Amino acid sequence: MRIAKTATSVIAAGMLAGAGVMALAAPAHAAPCGWQGDGTQDYNHCGDTNVMLTVEHVFGDDDHFCARPGMNNINAGNSPYNTWRTVYAYYDGGPANCFYGWYR
């Protein structure tokens, strides 16, 4: 009886410890930093300040977009383009602390 009680206690402690580790793990759905490449036209900026992105289009005419920290939909709001035109966006060390939106 004593062995069964001890085994039950050890199993319960192991389950609680495992639950604690699971609670500390990062969510599996967290978006990676940068261009999402999933057809959404989203760019996840992981920094603390606004930064200027270079935005590539189907026809090769690159533009610039100032992104805020967090997820940015490149073709939302004041976009001069339809969503299908943007093929990639990246930060290449351009100016920081810009004003959110498109630059031509």
Side-chain angles (χ1 to χ4, degrees):
M1 179 73 161
R2 183 175 217 174
I3 294 172
K5 225 178 196 182
T6 303
T8 303
S9 297
V10 169
I11 291 170
M15 290 173 67
L16 288 173
V21 170
M22 284 185 227
L24 296 176
H29 64 277
C33 299
W35 180 251
Q36 298 304 295
D38 58 1
T40 61
Q41 310 301 322
D42 289 340
Y43 184 94
N44 189 19
H45 172 46
C46 294
D48 295 333
T49 61
N50 291 2
V51 294
M52 189 68 69
L53 304 176
T54 298
V55 180
E56 296 179 356
H57 300 289
V58 171
F59 303 114
D61 52 339
D62 294 351
D63 278 308
H64 299 282
F65 180 81
C66 182
R68 299 175 181 147
M71 191 64 73
N72 293 267
N73 186 299
I74 302 265
N75 286 317
N78 64 350
S79 170
Y81 300 107
N82 294 322
T83 56
W84 64 269
R85 287 189 63 177
T86 300
V87 294
Y88 191 66
Y90 59 93
Y91 175 65
D92 62 355
N97 295 322
C98 51
F99 292 103
Y100 176 80
W102 285 96
Y103 287 74
R104 301 183 145 243

